DNA sequence: AATTTGTTTAACAATCCTGTTAATGACAGA
DNA sequence: TCTGTCATTAACAGGATTGTTAAACAAATT
């Protein structure tokens, strides 16, 4: 079945190239000819497989969103139930950061391209709702029971999530500036921020 | 001098329209005809005054950057010297947030359009270096003397600045999601985040 | 009034970019 | 081997978008 493999290879090559192009340049900045070139196919092939630029874009958002959601839910599932609430939050936060760092353009792409568009946002909300819904209730329970057992400072769940997402997203985005602004490598900067984010969250949760 | 006023009006109208268009859609998403229309002039006028889309873009980055830098330095200058280090940091942070919130697309625009481009980044670094340099030394002195008088937890200056910028930028960006995700207004969300950011920073600075 | 200077308009040119199509090739099943 | 289907290519069509130009116009200067 070399034909089917070939077909998958072509499709995958286009998808990979498209992901890179869309994430780095945004929808309007991306060029379909550039994607085709990067994928090593004629640009007619791109239209043959995905019809339009919009459809191709939708395909890559779908997978990107799926990967993002999975990374968080997986990280939470893997948690040791015996850990304290504080330790669990930190562990999920770090797993989330590791995923984001692998695709550092993702946060600004989401903010620029996906969130402002009501339609795309609907899509992401649908995909995320079930996963985030259960994560939410789990966290809620953990926070409530933690308040009984541990000494947790008063904090609302939305603000806690906002803190984590905020710190991680900004870490990923600003990591691209690290080498340009400070005289350190991206990896050094990320390591510093990881430590700093952990300090911030731990201090925040302590009474 | 109605002619010069008129000229200024046309120029300003184009610049204002361009700022809105570029900030919300990015360079490649922006359309010069849309800018001209918004400004109420023919699109030939746009080229007459600014020659090219690129040149117009450079003009608006210049002013945007200048306003951003000024907002921070002004906020720092206005500070009461009798305040504690912690209070001063919080005051500057809040002033910074107020400015950003007025142009909520600014952070994602900077991250998407300016920072990735080495050339544009050079520009912003030049413009910011003198202002940020003096701010930096002022903060450094304040931090050192604070460590003698007050009880400040160990933190490096880059990380402190990174914390503040990070939290504020993310607040502005995510505020656009507030109404879509949580059932609250943007203003309510910003107020909540402002409070939360202040708690985070104060706790971070305390030993 | 004539000239000059700078502003504005409308039409047009040129290019870039997306998407199509018709022709060709490859290959599986009848 | 013939036929039909799918993959691929090259060339092109259409439209959007940026940028130019020539002519009209307004205002100031001589």
């Amino acid at each position: 079945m070399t034909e089917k493999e070939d077909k998958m290879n072509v499709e995958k090559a286009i998808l990979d190239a498209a992901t890179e192009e869309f994430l780095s340049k945004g929808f309007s900045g991306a060029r379909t000819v550039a994607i085709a070139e990067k994928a090593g196919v004629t640009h007619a092939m791109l239209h043959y497989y995905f019809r339009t630029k919009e459809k191709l874009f939708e395909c890559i958002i779908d997978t990107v969103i799926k990967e993002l959601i999975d990374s968080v839910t997986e990280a939470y599932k893997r948690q040791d139930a015996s850990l304290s609430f504080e330790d669990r939050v930190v562990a999920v936060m770090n797993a989330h950061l590791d995923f984001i760092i692998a695709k550092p353009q993702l946060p600004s792409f989401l903010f620029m391209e996906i969130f402002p568009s009501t339609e795309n946002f609907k899509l992401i909300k649908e995909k995320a709702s079930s996963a985030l819904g259960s994560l939410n209730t789990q966290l809620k329970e953990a926070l409530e029971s933690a308040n009984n057992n541990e000494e947790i400072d008063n904090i609302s769940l939305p603000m806690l999530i906002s803190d984590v997402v905020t710190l991680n997203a900004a870490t990923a985005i600003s990591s691209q500036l690290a080498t340009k602004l400070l005289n350190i490598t991206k990896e050094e900067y990320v390591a510093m921020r990881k430590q700093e984010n952990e300090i911030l969250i731990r201090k925040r949760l302590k009474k």
Side-chain angles (χ1 to χ4, degrees), chain A residues 2-3 31 38 59 95 109 117 140 159 161 168 175-176:
Chain A
T2 47
E3 358 110 24
R31 294 290 106 105
K38 231 179 272 180
C59 286
F109 174 78
S117 142
K140 205 170 182 176
M159 280 302 107
I161 294 175
N168 277 350
S175 75
Q176 297 173 298

Side-chain angles (χ1 to χ4, degrees), chain A residues 63-115:
Chain A
T63 60
V64 160
I65 291 175
K66 193 176 160 354
E67 284 173 16
L68 178 66
I69 294 169
D70 287 354
S71 75
V72 182
T73 51
E74 285 303 311
Y76 194 83
K77 271 189 206 154
R78 264 200 304 280
Q79 283 326 297
D80 188 344
S82 67
L83 289 176
S84 71
F85 181 71
E86 193 185 307
D87 287 341
R88 290 168 85 179
V89 169
V90 168
V92 172
M93 179 169 75
N94 284 339
H96 182 225
L97 181 60
D98 288 340
F99 172 78
I100 287 184
I101 287 298
K103 291 195 201 302
Q105 326 98 312
L106 187 58
S108 58
F109 174 78
L110 289 173
F111 285 127
M112 196 78 188
E113 300 283 327
I114 311 295
F115 296 157

Side-chain angles (χ1 to χ4, degrees), chain A residues 52-70:
Chain A
T52 68
K53 188 183 177 184
E54 262 91 3
K55 290 225 165 59
L56 178 56
F57 186 67
E58 280 166 30
C59 286
I60 76 107
I61 327 183
D62 277 359
T63 60
V64 160
I65 291 175
K66 193 176 160 354
E67 284 173 16
L68 178 66
I69 294 169
D70 287 354

Side-chain angles (χ1 to χ4, degrees), chain A residues 124-136:
Chain A
I124 202 175
K125 207 176 167 185
E126 273 171 29
K127 301 232 167 200
S129 66
S130 66
L132 288 186
S134 70
L135 182 64
N136 207 52

